[in-house]
Amino acid sequence: MRMAVVGAGISGLTFSLLAARAGHEVIVVERDPPREGGDVESAWERWDRRSVPQFRQIHGFQAVALAVLRERLPDVLGLLHRAGAHDASRVGAVPGADSLPGSDALVQFQCRRSTLEWVLRAAVAEEERIDLREGTEANGLITLAGNAPRVGGVRTAASDITVDLVVDAGGRRSQTAAWCADAGLPTAEHASVDTRQVYFTRWVSPARLGECHALHPR
């Protein structure tokens, strides 16, 4: 299939890699500018990811994320480890817990959000079946006429992209519901679940940014 993925965050990039390696052709549309520099440090310091307010935060990724990477994208996991990501067991502090069957499936990994996205984009750039169009904003859907109208592509500020499938990976700022309404299509139903998790962030002024390097691991 020929697919368009709107959004080159963690979900959009991971989906694109899996789809391309399954033999599909993928066009990724991302409105933010390309990453700058050639390593994770330059991504941390200069990458302008204005669409992701939490971009410069330390992230802990659930064990299922590590399991998917280990099983489906082991090369990406290797790149992450070499870039500074590290595994973190959730049971290691309990004596004897790490010897129980299944305990190896409870290992998470931790790194900067910028590091994960930098590694994913580096992997995407190497895939022949993926066309990554950075700095390109999607602004609507292409619909095909018929007994039941259906989506046939994405409109961008640069051009129209016709595909067999459109994947919305735009996160909380997704415009898909509005696009569907504009096109006369049924709008998506939204469901939310309280995960009972919360995190806090302290924003640091540019003048103190240099101090953060000693505090934040890669």
Side-chain angles (χ1 to χ4, degrees), residues 12-28 35 72-77 79 118-133:
L13 294 171
T14 303
F15 174 87
S16 299
L17 281 171
L18 293 172
R21 293 183 182 187
H24 303 290
E25 179 184 353
V26 185
I27 301 172
V28 184
R35 58 194 173 104
R72 304 289 298 278
L73 299 170
D75 58 314
V76 174
L77 182 59
L79 289 172
W118 187 89
V119 167
L120 287 171
R121 288 210 191 188
V124 161
E126 295 296 321
E127 288 291 331
E128 294 183 357
R129 294 189 178 93
I130 300 179
D131 178 5
L132 177 59
R133 303 184 184 182

Side-chain angles (χ1 to χ4, degrees), residues 107-140:
V107 178
Q108 302 179 356
F109 74 94
Q110 299 173 345
C111 65
R112 295 169 176 170
R113 165 75 181 246
S114 59
T115 296
L116 178 56
E117 286 205 24
W118 187 89
V119 167
L120 287 171
R121 288 210 191 188
V124 161
E126 295 296 321
E127 288 291 331
E128 294 183 357
R129 294 189 178 93
I130 300 179
D131 178 5
L132 177 59
R133 303 184 184 182
E134 298 170 295
T136 302
E137 184 171 1
N139 52 31

Side-chain angles (χ1 to χ4, degrees), residues 69-86:
L69 288 173
R70 187 165 49 210
E71 178 183 352
R72 304 289 298 278
L73 299 170
D75 58 314
V76 174
L77 182 59
L79 289 172
L80 277 170
H81 283 149
R82 289 193 288 276
H86 64 274

Side-chain angles (χ1 to χ4, degrees), residues 21-95:
R21 293 183 182 187
H24 303 290
E25 179 184 353
V26 185
I27 301 172
V28 184
V29 180
E30 169 56 49
R31 66 180 179 178
D32 282 356
R35 58 194 173 104
E36 296 185 22
D39 56 29
V40 294
E41 294 303 327
S42 62
W44 170 260
E45 294 171 0
R46 300 196 300 274
W47 194 357
D48 185 11
R49 285 292 273 133
R50 64 195 70 181
S51 297
V52 186
Q54 71 276 25
F55 187 64
R56 285 178 175 80
Q57 290 182 0
I58 301 304
H59 278 51
F61 298 90
Q62 300 293 347
V64 65
L66 180 61
V68 169
L69 288 173
R70 187 165 49 210
E71 178 183 352
R72 304 289 298 278
L73 299 170
D75 58 314
V76 174
L77 182 59
L79 289 172
L80 277 170
H81 283 149
R82 289 193 288 276
H86 64 274
D87 297 345
S89 172
R90 298 298 90 188
V91 300
V94 180

Side-chain angles (χ1 to χ4, degrees), residues 155-211:
R155 300 191 188 282
T156 76
S159 63
D160 288 352
I161 302 172
T162 57
V163 292
D164 304 306
L165 175 69
V166 175
V167 176
D168 175 15
R172 293 183 180 181
R173 292 169 177 77
S174 167
Q175 299 297 309
T176 298
W179 294 343
C180 287
D182 292 342
L185 298 169
T187 57
E189 295 184 6
H190 293 271
S192 61
V193 177
D194 184 2
T195 63
R196 306 185 72 84
Q197 298 183 52
V198 65
Y199 62 82
F200 297 89
T201 297
R202 174 178 293 176
W203 296 97
V204 181
S205 67
R208 297 189 59 194
L209 188 60
E211 301 176 22

